[in-house]
Amino acid sequence: MCGIVAAVTQRNITNFLVEGIKKLEYRGYDSSGLAIIDYKNNIIRIRCVGKVNELIKKVYKKKILGNIGMAHTRWATHGKVSKANTHPHISSNIIVVHNGIIENSSILRLFLQKKGYIFYSDTDTEVIAHLLHWEQNKKKDPLKKTIQNSIEKLYGNYSMVVIDKNNPSRLIAVRSRSPLVIGLGLEENFIASDQIALLNITKRFIYLEEGDIAVVTRKRIDIFNKNSTITKRKEIISNTEYKSVKKGKYRHFMEKEIYEQPESIRKTLENRLKNNSKIYFSELGLKENNLFYHAEHIQIVACGTSYNAAMVSRYWFESLANIPCDVEIASEFSSRKLALRKKSLLITLSQSGETADTLSALRCSKNLGYLGNLTICNMESSSLVKESDCCILTKAGLEIGVASTKSFTTQLTVLLMLIAKIINVKKEKNNISNKIIQTLNILPTRIEEILKKNELIKNLANKISHKKNILFLGRGDTYPIAIEGALKLKEISYIHAEAYPAGELKHGPLALIDQNIPIIIIAPKNSLLNKIKKNIKEISLRGGITYVFSDQEFDYEENMNVIKMPYVEELIAPIFYIIPLQLLAYYVALSKGRDIDQPRHLAKSVTVE
Ligand code: HGA
């Protein structure tokens, strides 16, 4: 959350900052701002509430000329959404943009107020700016030393970029549990919270590591590690293509990403299914085989959509591989005292690999005695990948829409492959893993078939988009799909939606049923179909209106509508059935005119706990 770009350039910096921050808008869009030191050494700061386009309009009305500056797009944590709280924050000569939370900011604020500092915002970021200014003037130290002294006083997870107007040739970047990447140019250098902001300028990147402070000028980059020792960090050449961040023929990134799923799944499967009988992950070696061989329990930790993917996989781990599996929301996992299961393998799931709650859960788990930990992640250079014992990459490509779609289905694809791999490792010959592999091969084609049914889904969206509440029901491994369908609808249409296991309705939620609550039911052919048919009857008898997604025939019940789905193999039905629910959420939100790629109050890559 919160996007940072900064640069020290040969050319005028304004276009770079504006274009860079636009690309990071997915990280937060409450407000945005920039600050440039102009050719006369004045700080020019422009800030506004709302989308980055508002900022762009304001910036281009002024002609700003300068070679060093920073921009920020905000997802508020300290202080409401307002211009005064928008970054950059300034304390005399010190300018700061920041991502994260300073947990002890109230105490520091009081301390600085006593020293005479006047605060113009409610943010923890302004506290950093004044603290740096105070430290700098107290000891007359160079800025890097000042920053080293100040960060000892800051508690929390954050990253920041600082410019000192009195030395306007360098940027100072600090990484403390929140990512920052340096982009290397020709006699100019850049900083961003995500390489996506820099991809049209450079392919050469250096990722800062925990506790690093980087001093960046046009010609030099000096990185100091957490012990203040000058250090070298590896330069990487990114192979991410810039074009993948464009919408192309689609109206929204979410729509594009829904339709990209067959391709993303093909990429995720590519070179990993060997001779239809073995799974091969190039990221893993013999050490991991050993880990899988000894694992007697799986503990998965995740948030949001990744948590829902984990919930589906719990059914698979237990029914296919006969390994007990528990799934927990990351923020809960790290905030309670845990009783460890014997020989337990910890798995974390995250699209960005920067999800603060999941990272914190991984860090908490480290001394608890897990057999080892594995992350399933979409971002190779992320903190989660770096801090885990081993990783398997989903190959979803960049996902820009705040509501995750292709990251969910590629996570499920990897989880199924992982289960087949574990079965292989534990027992050399097993039909189940062969069946998983064969069925996964068919998955992209099955998804292509369901994507062609979009007209059916559009019709349903028109019928329900004016409703205030919607229920989603599933049973067995489609219950988490009902949860994910409800989450998608809530996120982008703002309609209240809840999901239940169909068998649970009679234990309470049935009292909600009337003609005003459409009930979406996922009912593929499986051993639970007859039970779910009985549940549908119970709803119909009470006047409830049901919309049943199924490839099966049903006896007519009053107020029941069947949305006929193409055939799909039972094993991959959960992955298949989320597609119509993603489309449903999309078309409902479209008909309500919602801001689909950037729904209110949300942001992608949730880097605060
Ligand atoms: N705490 C700062 C930055 C917020 C942030 O990083 N959000 O992800 C603020 O509230 O402005």
Side-chain angles (χ1 to χ4, degrees), residues 1-2 27 72 74-79 85 87 89 98-102 123-125 607-608:
M1 282 167 160
C2 282
R27 296 175 74 94
H72 186 268
R74 179 169 188 246
W75 187 84
T77 67
H78 284 57
N85 288 332
H87 302 214
H89 290 281
H98 149 239
N99 174 25
I101 288 176
I102 305 302
T123 61
D124 43 356
T125 314
T607 57
V608 291

Side-chain angles (χ1 to χ4, degrees), residues 130-159:
H130 289 321
L131 181 68
L132 292 177
H133 182 262
W134 180 70
E135 285 279 353
Q136 191 183 47
N137 284 291
K138 194 175 65 169
K139 294 195 184 147
K140 303 278 177 240
D141 276 340
L143 185 61
K144 188 192 73 69
K145 182 90 177 66
T146 299
I147 290 179
Q148 273 162 345
N149 291 338
S150 305
I151 57 181
E152 283 168 14
K153 300 187 176 69
L154 300 174
Y155 301 140
N157 297 352
Y158 59 87
S159 59

Side-chain angles (χ1 to χ4, degrees), residues 244 246-247 250 252-260:
S244 55
K246 295 235 165 91
K247 271 188 265 197
Y250 296 97
H252 296 95
F253 281 111
M254 182 183 181
E255 185 185 24
K256 175 177 177 249
E257 287 157 7
I258 291 174
Y259 280 89
E260 272 172 1

Side-chain angles (χ1 to χ4, degrees), residues 261 265 269 309 312 316 405-417 436 439-440 443-444 446-447 450 477-478 481 522 524 568-582:
Q261 288 177 104
I265 292 173
L269 295 172
V312 175
W316 291 338
T405 50
K406 58 181 182 167
S407 61
F408 180 72
T409 47
T410 52
Q411 280 173 345
L412 287 174
T413 305
V414 165
L415 282 159
L416 257 185
M417 280 193 280
I436 294 175
T439 318
L440 277 173
L443 178 61
R446 291 283 181 261
I447 294 183
I450 180 76
D477 60 11
T478 59
I481 296 304
I522 304 132
V568 67
E569 291 69 12
E570 192 179 327
L571 186 63
I572 51 173
I575 315 182
F576 174 89
Y577 273 87
I578 193 55
I579 310 290
L581 301 189
Q582 292 169 346

Side-chain angles (χ1 to χ4, degrees), residues 1-2 4 27 98-103 151 154-160 173-181 193 207-213 226 334 352-367 381-384 386-387 605-609:
M1 282 167 160
C2 282
I4 293 175
R27 296 175 74 94
H98 149 239
N99 174 25
I101 288 176
I102 305 302
E103 282 164 16
I151 57 181
L154 300 174
Y155 301 140
N157 297 352
Y158 59 87
S159 59
M160 63 170 136
V174 181
R175 178 191 162 131
S176 179
R177 298 195 157 186
S178 180
L180 274 183
V181 61
S193 30
Y207 277 86
L208 293 186
E209 292 185 14
E210 272 323 302
D212 282 355
I213 298 181
K226 54 175 173 261
S334 48
S352 66
E354 301 297 345
T355 313
D357 287 328
T358 312
L359 269 166
S360 163
L362 172 69
R363 289 167 186 153
C364 287
S365 77
K366 291 227 166 139
N367 298 321
S381 44
S382 65
S383 308
L384 207 51
K386 284 191 192 120
E387 293 184 32
S605 186
V606 185
T607 57
V608 291
E609 274 184 68

Side-chain angles (χ1 to χ4, degrees), residues 473-588:
L473 304 180
R475 250 190 125 118
D477 60 11
T478 59
Y479 163 50
I481 296 304
I483 303 179
E484 174 62 8
L487 177 64
K488 287 293 88 95
L489 192 73
K490 278 187 270 207
E491 280 178 305
I492 59 168
S493 75
Y494 319 150
I495 294 177
H496 172 240
E498 272 192 82
Y500 280 96
E504 184 63 12
L505 218 55
K506 57 189 175 293
H507 297 287
L510 208 51
L512 292 172
I513 303 300
D514 64 17
Q515 300 259 319
N516 292 321
I517 299 193
I519 301 161
I520 312 284
I521 302 174
I522 304 132
K525 181 173 183 293
N526 61 26
S527 57
L528 299 169
L529 186 64
N530 282 336
K531 288 197 170 171
I532 219 162
K533 282 184 176 172
K534 276 195 251 154
N535 300 139
I536 295 170
K537 212 183 231 351
E538 286 156 13
I539 298 166
S540 292
L541 291 174
R542 287 159 181 87
I545 301 177
T546 54
Y547 297 94
V548 184
F549 286 80
S550 183
D551 53 352
Q552 297 298 294
E553 300 298 331
F554 288 77
D555 294 337
Y556 178 75
E557 303 289 348
E558 211 172 319
N559 292 326
M560 178 172 89
N561 308 276
V562 178
I563 296 110
K564 192 72 198 256
M565 295 285 103
Y567 165 78
V568 67
E569 291 69 12
E570 192 179 327
L571 186 63
I572 51 173
I575 315 182
F576 174 89
Y577 273 87
I578 193 55
I579 310 290
L581 301 189
Q582 292 169 346
L583 285 170
L584 182 65
Y586 178 76
Y587 290 128
V588 169

Side-chain angles (χ1 to χ4, degrees), residues 277-278 292-293 320-323 419-434:
S277 65
K278 283 249 178 318
F292 297 155
Y293 181 79
L320 302 171
N322 195 28
I323 302 180
I419 288 164
K421 171 96 191 163
I422 293 178
I423 294 171
N424 279 163
V425 170
K426 283 186 177 280
K427 297 183 205 151
E428 220 11 77
K429 285 215 174 307
N430 188 307
N431 292 339
I432 297 177
S433 70
N434 290 359

